[in-house]
Amino acid sequence: MRLALVHRHCQCWGIETPEDLVSGTKDEAVAAVLALLDLLAGEGSANRFEAVVEEARRQGVTGADLRTVERIKRLALSIQARLERRQQRSAALATLVDTASDLASPHTVEDTLKIITRRARLLLGVDVSWVTLPAADDDGALRLHALDGHVTMLNTQLRLPEGAGLAAAVLAHRAPLWTSDYPTDDSFRHAAELDQWIDAEGLHAVLAVPLSRGTAFAGSLHVADRSVRHFSADEIALANMLAEIGGVALSRAVYLDETLAEMSALRDRLSRAEADLADARGLTEAQGALLALVLDGCAPQLLVEECHVRLRAPVLLCGPHGTTIAVSGDLSGRGEEFTPAEKATGVLLDPAPVLVQDGIWSVPVLAGGHHLGALYVQAGPALTAGTAALLRYAARVVAVLLSLQEGRPPVDGRVRDELLEDLLLSVSRPQDLLERRARRLGIGLDQPHVVVIARVEGGAQAHAVSRASACARRLNGLQTTHESDIVLLLPGTDPGEAARTVHDALSSLPDGPPTVSASGPVSHPGAVLQGYREALRCLDAMTALGAAGTSASTHQLGFLGLLLSDHVDADRFIRSTIGAVLDYDEQRLTELIRTLDAYFDTGGSPTYAAEQLHVHPNTVARRLERIGELIGPDWQKPERALEIQLALRMSRIRRVLRERDESAGDQDA
């Protein structure tokens, strides 16, 4: 019976039964084999297997029987080791599954790294684990993250230079690397800070595996022991699998963090948009309420009280000289105190609120260039965008109310200003549309007009705009404020006369007369901008020449105006300079032009000029007197003489070119 049992066990484990054991009668050897098989079945410890062999040896088992017992012991230990490895693999796989399940839940990047390092330390049974990732500044350096099992604080913000440590070697080879004794291993480049930390932790064996995010390299996972040892293939494989799972989880965590950040930014933008929408709705409601009061014909006091309610701040409405028109709040009697600051702000067509005192803001009340006063609000040291917009609108509504009470047409004045503003834009507008708008105002842009620019110095801009607007309406023209200059478009063909007219209208300003320039005429909408630019160059030239406070046109500047003009009209310059002399020669067959040429060629000497002309000096003298009668007695002054010589030279060149063209025509014929 026992012999059959031995046969069965031996066949089950693939053992060839020795003949002497099968056929022998030694019960001690059989008992030893059965004991070994019982230990194998019961997962006994290795020392107990050796004790069975020793017991058989004491019982007298020798020879082939003893060798068979020892062989069965070795096979049993091998089988037991395999079973233990399978159990370890099964447990490791279960741990990996748990880790994957844990990482499947949403986590931040930092929490994901902590889970990876904690599971790596427990899975491999090591002392310390950490993750190395590229530094945020992208200079090739690496930084330690999510350490687990460490006992010192030297790792805080630990940074590895480029190419140092096992992490750099893993980055270069994209494969697992390990060392049994890190401090003594010279197969890779060491970093002083990392070596100091490893020495403080007492670490020796270190394993590093790549941590990837898809096809991109994210970093490396490290595990370390405080003893010198070798890492088995199973341990390296487990670390690799954990790193692959962790890489996928890390990629998702990064995407989740980015998504959360974008969602947070979108929530902020949505909150701002909702706040802006609420402000816009409040502004629209306030605008409707203010406009309804004006349409109902309310008094200024009621309108100011409504502004007080809408702006949630005291409001004061003053006239042009600081006289209080209406007040709501604790700003009574302070209009004259604010008037100097209000004047300093100027009168722009769409002015922004200006801080005139601590917490008190001012905005001018304007109607078609007329300064009707100012609106003051005690709104604090800073204005929100909604408050500023409501304040500007309130000022315009007040201007409409005051204009209606005084019988002024503010809308017509504003439309005129806007038309001239559109004509001065560099972006081309449909000319037929501009002409229709002008015809509705009684202005024909197809008729000759001149462009006039007035530049006012000091703080008299408000008075200058008011007077210029009145001048433009009186002459059936347009007026606006463009780049701090007053621009007018007036009907006519004489820019010099138009400049004098505007200069006279503005000459009695408190800070002195303005500088006025003019150009033209222009006869279509597209030429207004060109005329403005020419007049602006003339104005700048007058300022540079020290002629501030005067008026002039490009034609009146002589050859300088010829240079400043966009279209060089040489014939007009010649005619305006020596045209009377040319006409006299043509009508009476005299030689005054030839005498002028000789006079200037000889340095202004009548005697030398007579010799060159082969006439008596008295003849030259009489001719020069006649020239003075024709073009003015100051023709010999340096400035006029220069212009006359330039006109003579241009006339001579034109005559030579014409003769050459006529000669070429005769030859062709």
Side-chain angles (χ1 to χ4, degrees):
M1 185 70 180
R2 296 181 64 184
L3 189 57
L5 182 61
V6 172
H7 266 289
R8 213 165 33 246
H9 277 293
C10 290
Q11 290 174 359
C12 178
W13 294 104
I15 303 173
E16 295 182 1
T17 307
E19 290 298 328
D20 53 354
L21 181 59
V22 175
S23 58
T25 58
K26 298 180 179 179
D27 294 337
E28 292 79 2
V30 174
V33 171
L34 292 174
L36 290 173
L37 294 177
D38 289 338
L39 287 175
L40 178 60
E43 299 181 358
S45 59
N47 57 353
R48 294 183 62 187
F49 282 85
E50 188 62 35
V52 171
V53 176
E54 291 299 326
E55 180 63 25
R57 188 177 289 111
R58 284 196 299 270
Q59 294 296 330
V61 179
T62 60
D65 294 342
L66 183 59
R67 288 193 297 272
T68 299
V69 172
E70 289 177 346
R71 182 185 176 194
I72 292 174
K73 179 203 70 173
R74 289 192 297 272
L75 291 174
L77 290 174
S78 175
I79 292 171
Q80 188 181 49
R82 290 184 181 181
L83 291 175
E84 289 177 353
R85 283 198 299 273
R86 288 183 180 179
Q87 291 175 352
Q88 291 174 355
R89 289 176 182 174
S90 178
L93 290 175
T95 304
L96 284 176
V97 171
D98 292 341
T99 303
S101 177
D102 194 4
L103 291 174
S105 302
H107 296 287
T108 63
V109 172
E110 196 62 31
D111 290 342
T112 300
L113 294 177
K114 288 180 179 179
I115 293 173
I116 293 172
T117 53
R118 174 63 57 85
R119 292 301 178 91
R121 191 170 69 86
L122 297 177
L123 180 63
L124 298 177
V126 294
D127 296 321
V128 183
S129 60
W130 67 90
V131 169
T132 303
L133 299 176
D137 48 15
D138 197 20
D139 60 351
L142 300 172
R143 192 180 293 279
L144 270 63
H145 294 269
L147 281 91
D148 189 76
H150 60 290
V151 295
T152 68
M153 296 301 295
L154 296 179
N155 60 289
T156 305
Q157 299 297 323
L158 185 59
R159 180 187 179 93
L160 306 180
E162 183 178 4
L166 278 180
V170 170
L171 175 62
H173 296 89
R174 303 295 174 90
L177 295 173
W178 62 274
T179 175
S180 59
D181 193 5
Y182 187 98
T184 61
D185 194 342
D186 296 330
S187 61
F188 53 88
R189 177 185 166 192
H190 285 255
E193 294 184 1
L194 181 60
D195 289 355
Q196 181 182 1
W197 174 70
I198 285 181
D199 183 63
E201 289 285 347
L203 301 178
H204 289 275
V206 180
L207 168 64
V209 294
L211 186 66
S212 302
R213 290 174 50 196
T215 58
F217 177 76
S220 54
L221 172 63
H222 297 249
V223 294
D225 256 339
R226 292 189 172 90
S227 60
V228 178
R229 75 178 185 87
H230 296 278
F231 289 96
S232 66
D234 290 342
E235 290 175 326
I236 297 174
L238 284 175
N240 247 337
M241 285 189 288
L242 179 60
E244 291 178 1
I245 296 173
V248 174
L250 179 60
S251 179
R252 194 179 70 165
V254 170
Y255 179 75
L256 178 62
D257 282 2
E258 293 174 351
T259 303
L260 291 176
E262 292 178 359
M263 290 177 60
S264 177
L266 289 175
R267 280 195 296 268
D268 293 341
R269 291 175 59 183
L270 179 60
S271 299
R272 290 194 298 268
E274 290 176 346
D276 293 342
L277 180 59
D279 292 341
R281 288 174 176 169
L283 179 60
T284 302
E285 181 184 354
Q287 290 174 349
L290 295 176
L291 185 59
L293 290 176
V294 174
L295 295 177
D296 292 340
C298 71
Q301 180 62 37
L302 182 58
L303 186 60
V304 169
E305 290 177 356
E306 182 67 21
C307 292
H308 184 186
V309 173
R310 297 293 177 176
L311 293 169
R312 300 177 183 177
V315 179
L316 170 65
L317 173 61
C318 293
H321 304 291
T323 304
T324 299
I325 298 176
V327 63
S328 179
D330 56 354
L331 293 178
S332 301
R334 302 185 65 181
E336 296 181 356
E337 176 185 350
F338 302 144
T339 300
E342 182 272 332
K343 287 183 178 180
T345 64
V347 284
L348 302 177
L349 290 177
D350 189 14
V354 177
L355 185 65
V356 295
Q357 282 192 11
D358 294 339
I360 299 177
W361 297 80
S362 168
V363 59
V365 177
L366 307 170
H370 295 280
H371 186 212
L372 305 181
L375 198 64
Y376 300 94
V377 178
Q378 191 172 7
L383 288 181
T384 63
T387 302
L390 182 56
L391 181 55
R392 288 194 297 269
Y393 185 82
R396 288 195 287 269
V397 172
V398 170
V400 173
L401 178 62
L402 296 180
S403 298
L404 292 175
Q405 290 180 344
E406 296 180 11
R408 293 177 178 174
V411 176
D412 178 73
R414 184 60 184 269
V415 170
R416 286 174 172 266
D417 294 344
E418 290 177 350
L419 175 58
L420 185 52
E421 287 176 359
D422 290 343
L423 291 172
L424 296 178
L425 291 177
S426 59
V427 180
S428 60
R429 298 290 183 91
Q431 293 193 12
D432 56 345
L433 177 61
L434 295 174
E435 290 177 350
R436 286 198 302 270
R437 290 172 58 187
R439 282 195 296 270
R440 286 197 294 268
L441 298 173
I443 298 173
L445 293 179
D446 56 343
Q447 301 299 317
H449 285 74
V450 294
V451 180
V452 182
I453 303 178
R455 181 169 293 171
V456 181
E457 304 295 339
Q461 182 83 358
H463 301 287
V465 169
S466 179
R467 295 184 184 182
S469 178
C471 179
R473 287 198 303 273
R474 185 178 69 253
L475 299 176
N476 194 30
L478 303 175
Q479 176 269 334
T480 188
T481 303
H482 188 74
E483 296 183 356
S484 301
D485 292 329
I486 301 172
V487 184
L488 299 94
L489 182 66
L490 304 177
T493 58
D494 189 348
E497 179 63 26
R500 284 192 297 273
T501 301
V502 175
H503 185 269
D504 293 341
L506 306 180
S507 59
S508 60
L509 293 175
D511 295 329
T515 306
V516 182
S517 67
S519 68
V522 297
S523 300
H524 60 90
V528 175
L529 176 59
Q530 180 180 342
Y532 165 76
R533 290 171 176 169
E534 184 175 324
L536 185 61
R537 288 196 294 270
C538 180
L539 185 67
D540 293 336
M542 294 170 62
T543 304
L545 294 173
T550 63
S551 66
S553 67
T554 52
H555 303 312
Q556 292 173 333
L557 292 183
F559 75 93
L560 182 59
L562 183 69
L563 298 177
L564 294 174
S565 177
D566 286 330
H567 298 286
V568 179
D569 192 349
D571 185 65
R572 182 167 184 168
F573 173 72
I574 294 172
R575 300 298 304 174
S576 64
T577 306
I578 59 173
V581 181
L582 291 170
D583 293 341
Y584 192 90
D585 278 350
E586 184 178 355
Q587 295 170 4
R588 306 202 179 189
L589 301 178
T590 56
E591 294 186 344
L592 297 185
I593 288 295
R594 188 162 171 255
T595 303
L596 268 178
D597 277 333
Y599 177 75
F600 286 118
D601 286 345
T602 58
S605 171
T607 303
Y608 291 151
E611 292 178 0
Q612 182 175 331
L613 295 171
H614 304 290
V615 297
H616 195 274
N618 291 337
T619 303
V620 173
R622 287 193 300 272
R623 291 178 179 177
L624 295 179
E625 290 177 1
R626 178 64 63 184
I627 291 171
E629 295 174 359
L630 293 172
I631 62 176
D634 61 343
W635 68 273
Q636 291 178 321
K637 291 183 178 180
E639 183 178 349
R640 287 290 309 281
L642 177 60
E643 292 185 358
I644 292 170
Q645 292 180 69
L646 180 60
L648 288 171
R649 181 66 58 87
M650 294 175 66
S651 177
R652 187 185 310 128
I653 293 173
R654 287 163 61 89
R655 185 171 62 252
V656 171
L657 292 176
R658 287 172 181 170
E659 293 174 355
R660 183 178 300 171
D661 291 341
E662 293 174 358
S663 175
D666 294 341
Q667 291 178 2
D668 293 340

